[in-house]
Amino acid sequence: MFVVATAGHVDHGKSTLVRALTGMEPDRWAEERRRGMTIDLGFAWTTLPSGGTVAFVDVPGHERFVPNMLAGVGPVPAALIVVAADEGWMPQSAEHLAALDALGVAYGLLAVTRADLADPGPAMARARAEIAATSLGAVPAVAVSGLTGAGLPELRAALDRLAADLPAPVLDDPVRLWVDRSFTVRGSGTVVTGTLGAGRLRVGDELELAGADEPVRVRGLHSLGEPRPEAAAVARVAVNLRGTPRDRLGRGDALLTPGRFHHTDLVDVRLAGDPAADLPATLTLHVGSAAVPVRVRPLGPDTVRLRLARPLPLLVGDRALLRDPGRHHVSGGVWVLDVAPPPLARRGAAAARAQVLAELDGRPDLAGELRRRRLVRAGALVRMGVPVPTVSGRDRPEFAQPVAGDWLADPAYWRVLAERLTEEVARHAREHPLEPGMPVDALRQRLALPDRALVEALVRPPLRIHSGRVGAASTDALPEPVARAVQRVRAEYGDRPFRAPEADRLVDLGLGPREIGAAVRAGALLRLADNVVLLPDVLDDAVRVLAGLPQPFTLSAARQALDTTRRVAVPLLELLDRRGATRRLPDDARIVVT
């Protein structure tokens, strides 16, 4: 199936043409049929000569109903522009074409109707010239008569060719179904309709209603008037929602794949139309089937910031249009450049932001987003519409490799953070020489990082994390007085490794409780008990000496073999027991565990 929206001036025969092509009545309301004028969106479909199906969204042509027209055109990839041969190009022909151009619609046909009433040549030439200057470019044109049927076979063939030219829909994209109609069916509950432009819908799927916190579930699906277990883009669909009240949603709402869209009320956009300086302070933003009032803040010559009256599920690269409803004027199309822009709080921030936006083209760019945001979660980027590679390892670009959890970082910024972390730890060590390092949370605050896991990921040797602090892993980083005291211990006791300085000697060496604690945390000393410390590399030597004794051995034998005192031997053997190097027997003798 492919979906096409009609466009054109009021009373130029759009509905008549759809009726002639499909045999279906697109005007749903009795009032529309009584007045002979389309007021709201109509829907019809037919089979083409190739066997494919085309579904029409028939839009009203009167200027009072342009918002309804835009709700139908917004999600549709192609347009059938209708101009009457006997009236030619008219004001709403121009406004509808301006809307299509603003939305970037690039595929379409021209149908010159009422060819039985006037020569279609002049109207066709004028219309083709107008259309050629827009995003549609040169389009095929067919002269038809909905009354006599002349030209309908040629129009059907042209629709077939148009369908073949359309790009293939992306079926694994997330669903964003803009609702253009909602109603209640007795016995079934709430039903919404829309044009499914990408992705798949299945009965039983759980979706998210834009702006609501609770999920909704697909109870049933219809397409082309028939129940379906599944619908794939591009398609007109009717979705029956389980347990969702009718008043909860309507035109302009959207059904979404959960967790895949960023709901935003603030966007930066590029204009394709009126200059930013000429825009009024308030306009209406039309995107999908939604029409939302916005406040406009100019940034650069062709860039503005829009404050939306309500959040919408927008993505980087979305196309939308701005319209001044008071003047019945399409101000132009917009490309969404950023759906999570930074605040503009400082003097000159707007001008600086304009320079950043000048480099953006509305196409999602992972490397560029990382340069601008510096640090961001992968899930947040995906919800903005920025693809993040899912492959891992060497097949994933360096800049797309997570640095911690799902955090991504600009490589240059990550290197700067690593340097700053080293500097902050060194500064803290100078200011607090006896502390065992800088607390991780303090580092997180100093580096303005949102997650302590990022701090942990930045720590590299010779730094280490111990007991929630980041510090040096060697004696080289000890405060100079402590390092000097440790060296004196090594000089005095290096040839008597199992002898420990007495308490008063420790004081003479400058090793009080805080200094000993700093040296032990740095691995420069081994604490056996209060005021009992040895050099840190003695344990293996102790095991080797003890293994040379007749097994099992007593505490006294161990003390003599190690040439030490009971004050040292008791806690040393208990430490070896805890480490599994020795085992204490029921009679208090020990053996070395080999």
Side-chain angles (χ1 to χ4, degrees):
M1 181 196 311
F2 87 103
V3 183
V4 61
T6 63
H9 195 74
V10 63
D11 201 30
H12 273 205
K14 296 185 295 297
S15 298
T16 299
L17 184 59
V18 170
R19 195 178 300 115
L21 285 167
T22 66
M24 302 175 69
E25 175 56 67
D27 288 337
R28 297 177 289 111
W29 296 3
E31 177 68 10
E32 292 178 305
R33 293 190 289 273
R34 185 185 67 79
R35 296 169 60 178
M37 181 178 71
T38 300
I39 297 172
D40 203 354
L41 302 177
F43 309 98
W45 57 89
T46 190
T47 302
L48 295 171
S50 66
T53 302
V54 58
F56 293 97
V57 179
D58 188 36
V59 307
H62 197 283
E63 67 177 2
R64 285 186 295 165
F65 306 119
V66 167
N68 290 352
M69 174 265 179
L70 293 173
V73 169
V76 174
L80 175 62
I81 302 168
V82 178
V83 177
D86 58 338
E87 290 192 358
W89 197 252
M90 297 291 283
Q92 289 313 114
S93 307
E95 185 169 12
H96 283 204
L97 180 61
L100 295 172
D101 184 37
L103 292 169
V105 177
Y107 298 89
L109 290 173
L110 169 63
V112 179
T113 56
R114 301 184 193 166
D116 56 316
L117 299 181
D119 177 8
M124 183 178 293
R126 169 71 187 281
R128 295 187 77 171
E130 297 282 351
I131 295 169
T134 70
S135 59
L136 286 154
V139 298
V142 181
V144 298
S145 169
L147 183 62
T148 69
L152 290 182
E154 290 81 3
L155 182 56
R156 292 177 185 274
L159 286 166
D160 247 340
R161 292 190 294 271
L162 176 62
D165 290 340
L166 289 174
V170 184
L171 299 182
D172 57 356
D173 264 8
V175 168
R176 179 173 50 171
L177 182 72
W178 292 102
V179 174
D180 52 37
R181 192 161 59 115
S182 64
F183 50 92
T184 301
V185 174
R186 186 185 296 268
S188 295
T190 299
V191 176
V192 299
T193 67
T195 299
L196 181 63
R200 296 177 183 271
L201 279 175
R202 298 177 178 87
V203 172
D205 278 355
E206 185 175 276
L207 300 174
E208 177 181 289
L209 176 59
D213 292 332
E214 69 269 15
V216 296
R217 191 169 295 278
V218 178
R219 179 180 182 181
L221 278 174
H222 277 68
S223 185
L224 305 182
E226 298 290 335
R228 315 268 180 171
E230 175 181 314
V234 172
R236 286 293 305 172
V237 294
V239 185
N240 180 202
L241 299 174
R242 186 189 307 276
T244 303
R246 161 70 181 81
D247 59 3
R248 288 292 307 280
L249 73 175
R251 178 171 294 171
D253 288 322
L255 297 178
L256 312 169
T257 298
R260 293 298 301 273
F261 291 88
H262 179 71
H263 298 81
T264 181
D265 62 358
L266 192 69
V267 293
D268 288 346
V269 302
R270 170 161 288 114
L271 304 171
D274 294 345
D278 294 343
L279 294 178
T282 58
L283 290 169
T284 298
L285 179 73
H286 293 266
V287 57
S289 62
V292 178
V294 296
R295 295 192 62 82
V296 180
R297 177 176 181 176
L299 298 174
D302 65 346
T303 53
V304 299
R305 175 161 291 187
L306 302 178
R307 173 73 68 178
L308 284 62
R310 65 180 176 92
L312 290 177
L314 300 180
L315 301 173
V316 172
D318 275 346
R319 293 295 300 266
L321 70 82
L322 291 171
R323 184 172 182 268
D324 186 343
R327 295 191 297 154
H328 303 289
H329 170 66
V330 173
S331 298
V334 300
W335 286 272
V336 175
L337 303 179
D338 195 339
V339 296
L344 303 176
R346 299 180 180 178
R347 183 184 299 274
R353 181 62 177 164
Q355 292 179 349
V356 172
L357 296 178
E359 301 176 358
L360 306 185
D361 58 6
R363 287 180 292 188
D365 171 26
L366 176 58
E369 289 293 337
L370 290 179
R371 282 194 301 273
R372 289 183 291 276
R373 300 183 187 279
R374 304 198 296 183
L375 197 61
V376 63
R377 288 187 182 274
L381 287 174
V382 169
R383 289 189 293 274
M384 295 176 198
V386 180
V388 176
T390 56
V391 295
S392 59
R394 295 180 180 177
D395 294 331
R396 194 166 182 169
E398 178 191 356
F399 63 83
Q401 298 281 357
V403 294
D406 71 337
W407 286 100
L408 299 176
D410 173 55
Y413 180 61
W414 190 246
R415 288 191 291 271
V416 169
L417 283 175
E419 294 171 0
R420 287 186 55 202
L421 180 138
T422 301
E423 293 168 358
E424 291 292 340
V425 171
R427 181 194 59 76
H428 187 273
R430 290 192 300 271
E431 296 175 358
H432 308 277
L434 297 181
E435 289 190 10
M438 188 171 182
V440 170
D441 281 331
L443 263 175
R444 183 185 64 79
Q445 294 174 17
R446 291 299 292 266
L447 298 178
L449 295 175
D451 191 333
R452 65 178 287 146
L454 295 166
V455 177
E456 296 168 356
L458 284 165
V459 175
R460 297 285 186 274
L463 299 180
R464 68 170 184 170
I465 301 176
H466 182 69
S467 299
R469 291 174 176 262
V470 180
S474 69
T475 57
D476 294 340
L478 281 172
E480 185 177 347
V482 179
R484 191 163 53 245
V486 170
Q487 288 300 326
R488 291 177 66 184
V489 171
R490 189 172 290 278
E492 290 187 21
Y493 295 89
D495 58 347
R496 297 176 296 163
F498 306 111
R499 291 294 183 101
E502 297 292 338
D504 55 351
R505 182 57 183 152
L506 289 173
V507 173
D508 292 342
L509 292 169
L511 291 173
R514 294 181 62 197
E515 289 79 6
I516 290 173
V520 169
R521 286 188 294 268
L525 291 176
L526 174 68
R527 190 203 307 267
L528 297 181
D530 288 342
N531 288 329
V532 180
V533 295
L534 298 178
L535 294 171
D537 47 4
V538 300
L539 293 183
D540 289 342
D541 291 340
V543 172
R544 189 166 51 253
V545 171
L546 296 174
L549 293 173
Q551 306 290 310
F553 57 87
T554 63
L555 170 63
S556 176
R559 181 182 62 76
Q560 295 179 35
L562 295 172
D563 186 23
T564 189
T565 63
R566 183 181 178 88
R567 169 175 167 262
V568 173
V570 170
L572 176 59
L573 289 175
E574 290 175 348
L575 176 60
L576 293 176
D577 291 344
R578 292 195 298 273
R579 295 195 174 190
T582 58
R583 186 169 73 246
R584 188 172 182 176
L585 302 177
D587 61 355
D588 287 340
R590 286 178 171 84
I591 60 172
V592 173
V593 178
T594 57

